[in-house]
Amino acid sequence: MIVVLKAGVAPAEEKAVIEEIERLGYRAHVMHGVSRTVIGAIGDENTHASLESLNAWPQVENVTPVQKRYKLVSREAHPEDSHFRVGKDTIVGGREIIIMAGPCSVESEKQLMVTAERVAAAGAKVLRGGAFKPRTSPYEFQGLGEQGLKLLAKAREATGLAVITELLSEDHVNMVAEYTDIIQIGARNAQNFQLLVAAAKTGKPILLKRGLSMKIEEWLLAAEYILAHGNRQVMLCERGIRTFETYTRNTLDLAAVPIAKKESHLPVVIDPSQGGGRADLVGALCKGAIAMGADSLLIEVHPNPKEAWSDAAQQLSLDGFEKLMKELKPLIAAVGRV
Amino acid sequence: MIVVLKAGVAPAEEKAVIEEIERLGYRAHVMHGVSRTVIGAIGDENTHASLESLNAWPQVENVTPVQKRYKLVSREAHPEDSHFRVGKDTIVGGREIIIMAGPCSVESEKQLMVTAERVAAAGAKVLRGGAFKPRTSPYEFQGLGEQGLKLLAKAREATGLAVITELLSEDHVNMVAEYTDIIQIGARNAQNFQLLVAAAKTGKPILLKRGLSMKIEEWLLAAEYILAHGNRQVMLCERGIRTFETYTRNTLDLAAVPIAKKESHLPVVIDPSQGGGRADLVGALCKGAIAMGADSLLIEVHPNPKEAWSDAAQQLSLDGFEKLMKELKPLIAAVGRV
Amino acid sequence: MIVVLKAGVAPAEEKAVIEEIERLGYRAHVMHGVSRTVIGAIGDENTHASLESLNAWPQVENVTPVQKRYKLVSREAHPEDSHFRVGKDTIVGGREIIIMAGPCSVESEKQLMVTAERVAAAGAKVLRGGAFKPRTSPYEFQGLGEQGLKLLAKAREATGLAVITELLSEDHVNMVAEYTDIIQIGARNAQNFQLLVAAAKTGKPILLKRGLSMKIEEWLLAAEYILAHGNRQVMLCERGIRTFETYTRNTLDLAAVPIAKKESHLPVVIDPSQGGGRADLVGALCKGAIAMGADSLLIEVHPNPKEAWSDAAQQLSLDGFEKLMKELKPLIAAVGRV
Amino acid sequence: MIVVLKAGVAPAEEKAVIEEIERLGYRAHVMHGVSRTVIGAIGDENTHASLESLNAWPQVENVTPVQKRYKLVSREAHPEDSHFRVGKDTIVGGREIIIMAGPCSVESEKQLMVTAERVAAAGAKVLRGGAFKPRTSPYEFQGLGEQGLKLLAKAREATGLAVITELLSEDHVNMVAEYTDIIQIGARNAQNFQLLVAAAKTGKPILLKRGLSMKIEEWLLAAEYILAHGNRQVMLCERGIRTFETYTRNTLDLAAVPIAKKESHLPVVIDPSQGGGRADLVGALCKGAIAMGADSLLIEVHPNPKEAWSDAAQQLSLDGFEKLMKELKPLIAAVGRV
């Protein structure tokens, strides 16, 4: 860590800082500059106590860590791209760009089966569908619950698609893990650390959405919780951050794709449906995501978006999805993927 | 709801929208304007199905609700200020500005008891202290757990202070409720709706922090979850939102005080410690909060901030807290409170 | 416009609103709903006075315009894509994706000439280079001024590239217009309306950067200032908005490309250098921009980024630029452009 | 400056960085840590060339300045509070809290004179009023121009109030300076450095608004432009920053008051009208500003807000202003000011 002292600090105050640094097991290295004194604290920041409490000392201007705070998720720790199987034979993180598609919410058997068949035929490998829905208002549709999970399992059986669904509660962790191939942690729960740990322990692959105002570093640290609890099968999913712009529901931070892939070995997924909140933007956002290196796309598709029970404005129709899949082909080829 | 059609929509497309509005139980009222057609959908938005799915219709430009989405928390539903007892005889939401103070984390019996005695002597009515800590990194101190709760209970017994502590997990809800007087829901869990419902059912007063990028409407809707599950004893706590500014850890949105009090009947609490992330700003932020109508302050105080195990930079010392309490007196009087 | 009244408004208060609406030349259309009254004000919002002053009336909850505020820039007004010539024979807004490249600042004849020759050879059509630099601090390098403009003109002569440079001051407008082919309005001046009007009057093509916290609607309205003053040759340039994320200098809002192209007929340019603030992200951001429909890229290139006088971290080397141009080829082909 | 190298950098690459640091006139001080090497560059950052270009070196992880970038505005350079005269005998920055009030736009002689008389009678010392208005749309009212300035001068004569008005263009600088006592630089021009310099040279006191997404450091550096051009009479005005919240037009960052007063010696002004965009919040925001140490308030007041030509929703009526002035008295006394 690097500790910068305020201008004009007395020698005794400087000495006190040095003693504290050494008390915590670091070696202090002092540099007297022109207007400020800087102290390097040499020692492993991941095994020694943090020096951030020095921020509370009146003679200290600031304390800056030098090492990255994440370990297991970092590219330094694992230079190769991670890849792993989801469902029977789909590999995420490999050369193939994996398309996950399906309705925002599971609404009925018919709605789900029709969607599953059509998205499978169009090339999707994973079926998405919410059985438990986190809704801003308590008066909105909250999902079909276990009945929805059963329909997802049925659609898997019929189509061979793997299944992804959101886990909202520690109380549901066993139930959800029983039915799903991938556990989704939603943006609102991205720093619900207890839920992350509970999900990790199922051993299932996990798709971790970035929170609405989460820095990339925090997102990687949330993933670190999962790896630190023994589950290395994590996908990082960018789904838009909250800004002042109002033409879109969120601002999809596509730069997060190359950054996450540089900092980490984990596969990166883009959610263009939540990311823009508008069906008419989904196509362009998918294309951008592929061009920038995303490993997978998570797309909302509904047999009749006009009557969807949630997020109607951002769901593609079945025909719209088929058309999009065709449009993506040349781009996928252009970036050397399949 | 108000439905605006796109320019140049054909009569048949307009008719289809009208039929959908009527199918969902509203009465449609059409206005043909100069360049757009606007359709008012007349009917109770809280009992009829939402028309937001019309956003997915190609001929529709936008759909705007007319009614507020929250009911039980709204000032319309309950014109008087809400107030309720916390602990033995402290009333939150009345004329008295209630000071809650204590360490970020419970670290040891000595640390907590010293703090409790001093903050009580200085005028605090509630003791804060984290037993379960939501930490960005899995390698940071996660709290003492139940041992911390026991220490809080012991401090309550010794001082008569009520106790507030954070609930992180549905699995802990009974344990936390057993020891605490107020359940705190942290910013990262502000839209963890399962946790809100579990906390609501304990019947304990709940302090609900606003999430880092939560709109005020969403914060009120999160409170609505608690009231809708039968618990009306909710305090709204503003603790800073995330912006681009870096001199402060967060931007404390003090305008949220008068807005929350105008929209809702619930008491409003300000957390100046998280709000700025800097001990040297706590005093000014407390003064602003009082001047603007806050009912309560939640202040981090530590016997030795320099050695705090978490959030050292934002905790006041015991002397600093005492001094602050004296400085607040004339302001409290100036706004006609005690 | 649509005027929503508060709940429980008395008939006389409603009547007063109706009279004001009619006084301003609109026809009022009243809808009594379940809990609110909504009044449609029918009339052309672009020729009648605004009703927004009704927001100040106590009985009014809100006023919402129905029409778009921009006209000349809108796709409705001009359904075809705009395209126009810059320099001798380069068309912006056509099928060809135009690459603009060059140093952040013009530093010396050698630096500029070497860069111009190499970027021209690699396929760029426009040379960028700042002669007047808007610097956050008064103590930073402010540009070579007219000498820089002369060097740009010399480089144009030597290479045939068109030239783009930033206009900072109304006082420089004639001088800058004399030397440059495209006038750049920077993010910090995006709502400096006097400068926009002065630039418009030169008749030169104008590249208008989006401000750091500008909504897309405001950006289009700033462009409207230029068109309303008789200059239709405007390019809209997205260069990153300011958010809380710190891994990047700005968050490049790539969704702005499809939105701007849907709302407006003007060509859209992406600046991946400012957009991320990191040379290692420029390649990925260029690819995303092309995939999402950008008409042009504005890329910072320097013969020796390590010694650049400004923005060193985000400039590509000459070799880096050449390599990037090759990498972009398959993507450009994949989206059907050249 | 502090230069952190990447993990695993070869000795030759480290040596190259050291040589560059020394080439630019700093002394290099190397610390080999556990996983990273840190190099302190000792020397005055304000007189030596910046090392930020090292950010472009592949072996460098980051470069952090140690010194503050602003000098003349800093509290270090000028430990006492600055204060100066505006108009005939009003001192800004002293013990008295100076109230500036008046309409958003000057609309007519009657409107301005009535307002001036009433705000003077209620205790305001400065009359505000826009003669040149920066409007988002070219089709909105742009101000009365010089006629508006003449009306302001007339109101000054009649009431003895000092006058503040916004400068929008370098072309108007002499004209505006002739009529006004204080030159206002608006939020949209806060980094229009040419305008800052032109305003500085008039020798008039300047009120510098913070830009909508300006960091406090950038705001202070914009003020530094004015001081560096020989004008020390600068007031810093916070007027709200742009966030995702929609209940308010902007988020007033009241923490900017204590921070600006800690970092700088300049007086700090709060604009509660722009800051919230709602007349019903102005009172609460004024109270917060006073409690937190603001030296002055800039309040929009209109004889008939319902018919204002701009920003109707945020202007107080004359009665409302009088009432507010009375309510502020006890708070002003409570903070020991007059």
Side-chain angles (χ1 to χ4, degrees), chain C residues 293-307:
Chain C
D295 297 297
S296 174
L297 303 172
L298 179 66
I299 305 174
E300 295 189 10
V301 180
H302 193 283
N304 190 356
K306 291 183 179 182
E307 297 190 356

PDB file of all heavy atoms in Angstrom, chain C residues 293-307:
ATOM      1  N   GLY C 293     -23.385   0.090 -36.214  1.00  0.00           N
ATOM      2  CA  GLY C 293     -23.901   0.995 -37.233  1.00  0.00           C
ATOM      3  C   GLY C 293     -23.263   2.370 -37.333  1.00  0.00           C
ATOM      4  O   GLY C 293     -23.781   3.237 -38.040  1.00  0.00           O
ATOM      5  N   ALA C 294     -22.136   2.583 -36.646  1.00  0.00           N
ATOM      6  CA  ALA C 294     -21.484   3.893 -36.738  1.00  0.00           C
ATOM      7  C   ALA C 294     -21.045   4.148 -38.182  1.00  0.00           C
ATOM      8  O   ALA C 294     -20.664   3.229 -38.899  1.00  0.00           O
ATOM      9  CB  ALA C 294     -20.290   3.957 -35.798  1.00  0.00           C
ATOM     10  N   ASP C 295     -21.064   5.428 -38.559  1.00  0.00           N
ATOM     11  CA  ASP C 295     -20.655   5.809 -39.908  1.00  0.00           C
ATOM     12  C   ASP C 295     -19.192   6.196 -39.976  1.00  0.00           C
ATOM     13  O   ASP C 295     -18.633   6.306 -41.075  1.00  0.00           O
ATOM     14  CB  ASP C 295     -21.490   7.011 -40.372  1.00  0.00           C
ATOM     15  CG  ASP C 295     -22.960   6.665 -40.471  1.00  0.00           C
ATOM     16  OD1 ASP C 295     -23.287   5.792 -41.286  1.00  0.00           O
ATOM     17  OD2 ASP C 295     -23.770   7.240 -39.719  1.00  0.00           O
ATOM     18  N   SER C 296     -18.592   6.428 -38.837  1.00  0.00           N
ATOM     19  CA  SER C 296     -17.235   6.950 -38.844  1.00  0.00           C
ATOM     20  C   SER C 296     -16.603   6.729 -37.473  1.00  0.00           C
ATOM     21  O   SER C 296     -17.298   6.605 -36.467  1.00  0.00           O
ATOM     22  CB  SER C 296     -17.281   8.454 -39.175  1.00  0.00           C
ATOM     23  OG  SER C 296     -16.010   9.038 -39.073  1.00  0.00           O
ATOM     24  N   LEU C 297     -15.272   6.658 -37.456  1.00  0.00           N
ATOM     25  CA  LEU C 297     -14.525   6.515 -36.202  1.00  0.00           C
ATOM     26  C   LEU C 297     -13.497   7.635 -36.124  1.00  0.00           C
ATOM     27  O   LEU C 297     -12.892   7.999 -37.136  1.00  0.00           O
ATOM     28  CB  LEU C 297     -13.791   5.171 -36.160  1.00  0.00           C
ATOM     29  CG  LEU C 297     -14.652   3.926 -36.314  1.00  0.00           C
ATOM     30  CD1 LEU C 297     -13.769   2.679 -36.462  1.00  0.00           C
ATOM     31  CD2 LEU C 297     -15.580   3.765 -35.118  1.00  0.00           C
ATOM     32  N   LEU C 298     -13.305   8.148 -34.920  1.00  0.00           N
ATOM     33  CA  LEU C 298     -12.342   9.233 -34.695  1.00  0.00           C
ATOM     34  C   LEU C 298     -11.306   8.701 -33.698  1.00  0.00           C
ATOM     35  O   LEU C 298     -11.610   8.559 -32.513  1.00  0.00           O
ATOM     36  CB  LEU C 298     -13.091  10.439 -34.108  1.00  0.00           C
ATOM     37  CG  LEU C 298     -12.302  11.687 -33.757  1.00  0.00           C
ATOM     38  CD1 LEU C 298     -11.738  12.337 -35.020  1.00  0.00           C
ATOM     39  CD2 LEU C 298     -13.205  12.696 -33.024  1.00  0.00           C
ATOM     40  N   ILE C 299     -10.107   8.394 -34.206  1.00  0.00           N
ATOM     41  CA  ILE C 299      -9.146   7.620 -33.417  1.00  0.00           C
ATOM     42  C   ILE C 299      -7.873   8.426 -33.171  1.00  0.00           C
ATOM     43  O   ILE C 299      -7.305   9.008 -34.102  1.00  0.00           O
ATOM     44  CB  ILE C 299      -8.788   6.316 -34.165  1.00  0.00           C
ATOM     45  CG1 ILE C 299     -10.067   5.522 -34.501  1.00  0.00           C
ATOM     46  CG2 ILE C 299      -7.823   5.467 -33.344  1.00  0.00           C
ATOM     47  CD1 ILE C 299      -9.824   4.293 -35.369  1.00  0.00           C
ATOM     48  N   GLU C 300      -7.420   8.440 -31.926  1.00  0.00           N
ATOM     49  CA  GLU C 300      -6.180   9.153 -31.611  1.00  0.00           C
ATOM     50  C   GLU C 300      -4.974   8.253 -31.882  1.00  0.00           C
ATOM     51  O   GLU C 300      -4.880   7.137 -31.376  1.00  0.00           O
ATOM     52  CB  GLU C 300      -6.184   9.621 -30.156  1.00  0.00           C
ATOM     53  CG  GLU C 300      -7.284  10.653 -29.901  1.00  0.00           C
ATOM     54  CD  GLU C 300      -7.190  11.312 -28.529  1.00  0.00           C
ATOM     55  OE1 GLU C 300      -6.167  11.122 -27.825  1.00  0.00           O
ATOM     56  OE2 GLU C 300      -8.141  12.022 -28.164  1.00  0.00           O
ATOM     57  N   VAL C 301      -4.048   8.795 -32.685  1.00  0.00           N
ATOM     58  CA  VAL C 301      -2.857   8.054 -33.090  1.00  0.00           C
ATOM     59  C   VAL C 301      -1.658   8.976 -32.937  1.00  0.00           C
ATOM     60  O   VAL C 301      -1.735  10.161 -33.294  1.00  0.00           O
ATOM     61  CB  VAL C 301      -2.971   7.626 -34.576  1.00  0.00           C
ATOM     62  CG1 VAL C 301      -1.730   6.848 -35.008  1.00  0.00           C
ATOM     63  CG2 VAL C 301      -4.217   6.790 -34.806  1.00  0.00           C
ATOM     64  N   HIS C 302      -0.570   8.458 -32.415  1.00  0.00           N
ATOM     65  CA  HIS C 302       0.613   9.291 -32.142  1.00  0.00           C
ATOM     66  C   HIS C 302       1.855   8.480 -32.491  1.00  0.00           C
ATOM     67  O   HIS C 302       1.910   7.285 -32.208  1.00  0.00           O
ATOM     68  CB  HIS C 302       0.619   9.658 -30.648  1.00  0.00           C
ATOM     69  CG  HIS C 302       1.587  10.733 -30.287  1.00  0.00           C
ATOM     70  ND1 HIS C 302       2.944  10.505 -30.171  1.00  0.00           N
ATOM     71  CD2 HIS C 302       1.393  12.042 -30.006  1.00  0.00           C
ATOM     72  CE1 HIS C 302       3.543  11.644 -29.832  1.00  0.00           C
ATOM     73  NE2 HIS C 302       2.632  12.593 -29.727  1.00  0.00           N
ATOM     74  N   PRO C 303       2.865   9.104 -33.079  1.00  0.00           N
ATOM     75  CA  PRO C 303       4.058   8.323 -33.438  1.00  0.00           C
ATOM     76  C   PRO C 303       4.788   7.774 -32.210  1.00  0.00           C
ATOM     77  O   PRO C 303       5.495   6.777 -32.307  1.00  0.00           O
ATOM     78  CB  PRO C 303       4.941   9.315 -34.201  1.00  0.00           C
ATOM     79  CG  PRO C 303       4.328  10.658 -34.046  1.00  0.00           C
ATOM     80  CD  PRO C 303       2.927  10.484 -33.569  1.00  0.00           C
ATOM     81  N   ASN C 304       4.598   8.417 -31.073  1.00  0.00           N
ATOM     82  CA  ASN C 304       5.253   7.937 -29.865  1.00  0.00           C
ATOM     83  C   ASN C 304       4.383   8.254 -28.657  1.00  0.00           C
ATOM     84  O   ASN C 304       4.641   9.210 -27.922  1.00  0.00           O
ATOM     85  CB  ASN C 304       6.637   8.593 -29.728  1.00  0.00           C
ATOM     86  CG  ASN C 304       7.432   7.941 -28.615  1.00  0.00           C
ATOM     87  OD1 ASN C 304       6.926   7.061 -27.912  1.00  0.00           O
ATOM     88  ND2 ASN C 304       8.667   8.380 -28.441  1.00  0.00           N
ATOM     89  N   PRO C 305       3.348   7.454 -28.439  1.00  0.00           N
ATOM     90  CA  PRO C 305       2.387   7.782 -27.379  1.00  0.00           C
ATOM     91  C   PRO C 305       3.060   8.011 -26.032  1.00  0.00           C
ATOM     92  O   PRO C 305       2.592   8.810 -25.231  1.00  0.00           O
ATOM     93  CB  PRO C 305       1.478   6.547 -27.317  1.00  0.00           C
ATOM     94  CG  PRO C 305       1.596   5.896 -28.643  1.00  0.00           C
ATOM     95  CD  PRO C 305       2.989   6.201 -29.127  1.00  0.00           C
ATOM     96  N   LYS C 306       4.185   7.331 -25.813  1.00  0.00           N
ATOM     97  CA  LYS C 306       4.864   7.461 -24.517  1.00  0.00           C
ATOM     98  C   LYS C 306       5.322   8.880 -24.247  1.00  0.00           C
ATOM     99  O   LYS C 306       5.613   9.234 -23.112  1.00  0.00           O
ATOM    100  CB  LYS C 306       6.113   6.575 -24.487  1.00  0.00           C
ATOM    101  CG  LYS C 306       5.839   5.099 -24.467  1.00  0.00           C
ATOM    102  CD  LYS C 306       7.171   4.383 -24.362  1.00  0.00           C
ATOM    103  CE  LYS C 306       7.006   2.885 -24.315  1.00  0.00           C
ATOM    104  NZ  LYS C 306       8.328   2.254 -24.154  1.00  0.00           N
ATOM    105  N   GLU C 307       5.468   9.673 -25.308  1.00  0.00           N
ATOM    106  CA  GLU C 307       5.936  11.035 -25.085  1.00  0.00           C
ATOM    107  C   GLU C 307       4.908  12.077 -25.507  1.00  0.00           C
ATOM    108  O   GLU C 307       5.227  13.255 -25.666  1.00  0.00           O
ATOM    109  CB  GLU C 307       7.259  11.252 -25.835  1.00  0.00           C
ATOM    110  CG  GLU C 307       8.349  10.343 -25.298  1.00  0.00           C
ATOM    111  CD  GLU C 307       9.739  10.676 -25.844  1.00  0.00           C
ATOM    112  OE1 GLU C 307       9.823  11.573 -26.709  1.00  0.00           O
ATOM    113  OE2 GLU C 307      10.699  10.056 -25.386  1.00  0.00           O
TER     114      GLU C 307
END
